[in-house]
Amino acid sequence: MLPPLILASQSPRRKALLSTIGVDFNVVCKETPELFDAQLSPQELCLHNAQAKADAVFKDHPYATVIGADTLVFLDGEPLGKPLNLAEAKQMLRRLSGKTHYVCTAVALVSPLGKKNLTPLTKVQFKQLSDEVILNYLNLVNVLDKAGAYAFQEHGEMIIENVEGDTNNVIGLPLAELTQVLQEWNYPVHTI
């Protein structure tokens, strides 16, 4: 019998994405301090945080396959997390305006079946954003719970010029890679 799946994330976006591949899972989260160290590479930093989330839940549920994830936006190698307030959100969007940045969603799977780490990067090009567009965007989207102060899936057409790579990775879960791991572990998943 396969270990039950646990998603160690409160993110409604991750929950919705994981639901699309047809697996049964529960959501269990433990408060985990996030590291925010610009000395680490994007993948190392995200993976550290994803592993901390997965390990904290696995400690209480050692019979389960736990999926921990962490998403960060990186501009010129500097991590941009969730803005503390709307003023910081405006500042982040101004910095991203007209530039290319990278989004990493690291996934750490911890299970009696083994351990797997995923650290894909997606390249995102922003449009040139006027202050008016930024204000309109902030009026439409709650950005305070989103890395880089934006959501690809919510009015992304207002701010995003182009994406190279997995758009699900930008939203919060690299589904293609995660599906592959779960298939290797014999979970009955719908391929995407």
Side-chain angles (χ1 to χ4, degrees):
M1 193 161 138
L2 287 168
L5 278 176
I6 294 177
L7 177 62
S9 174
Q10 300 264 9
S11 165
R13 295 165 299 283
R14 289 194 184 114
K15 187 176 176 186
L17 283 169
L18 191 56
S19 295
T20 65
I21 62 171
V23 290
D24 290 327
F25 65 94
N26 291 312
V27 174
V28 178
C29 295
K30 290 202 71 158
E31 195 62 39
T32 312
E34 290 193 5
L35 186 66
F36 205 73
D37 185 349
Q39 302 303 309
L40 297 175
S41 75
Q43 286 103 329
E44 288 172 326
L45 181 56
C46 281
L47 186 56
H48 177 279
N49 290 331
Q51 283 176 326
K53 294 172 187 179
D55 289 343
V57 172
F58 187 72
K59 200 152 101 179
D60 292 341
H61 303 273
Y63 54 84
T65 295
V66 179
I67 302 167
D70 187 63
T71 303
L72 282 174
V73 169
F74 291 85
L75 178 63
D76 301 325
E78 180 190 338
L80 302 180
K82 298 170 186 170
L84 298 174
N85 51 46
L86 285 176
E88 190 175 36
K90 280 183 205 168
Q91 182 185 15
M92 282 185 185
L93 291 174
R94 281 191 189 110
R95 287 182 63 199
L96 292 167
S97 175
K99 295 186 180 155
T100 297
H101 64 274
Y102 291 88
V103 179
C104 179
T105 297
V107 175
L109 293 105
V110 186
S111 171
L113 303 172
K115 289 185 174 193
K116 288 275 187 172
N117 297 326
L118 309 172
T119 56
L121 282 178
T122 302
K123 188 176 178 180
V124 180
Q125 168 72 43
F126 259 38
K127 296 177 180 180
Q128 281 295 146
L129 305 180
S130 66
D131 284 347
E132 183 183 3
V133 168
I134 289 173
L135 288 175
N136 286 341
Y137 186 77
L138 293 175
N139 284 329
L140 289 170
V141 180
N142 173 18
V143 298
L144 297 182
D145 67 339
K146 294 167 182 71
Y150 76 94
F152 172 85
Q153 71 282 11
E154 292 180 56
H155 303 285
E157 73 285 350
M158 292 175 66
I159 58 173
I160 295 170
E161 183 78 43
N162 187 42
V163 176
E164 290 179 32
D166 183 359
T167 55
N168 288 323
N169 187 47
V170 181
I171 297 169
L173 209 55
L175 269 190
E177 293 186 35
L178 178 58
T179 299
Q180 189 175 342
V181 172
L182 293 176
Q183 282 179 315
E184 288 169 10
W185 287 351
N186 295 313
Y187 283 92
V189 296
H190 301 308
T191 52
I192 55 165

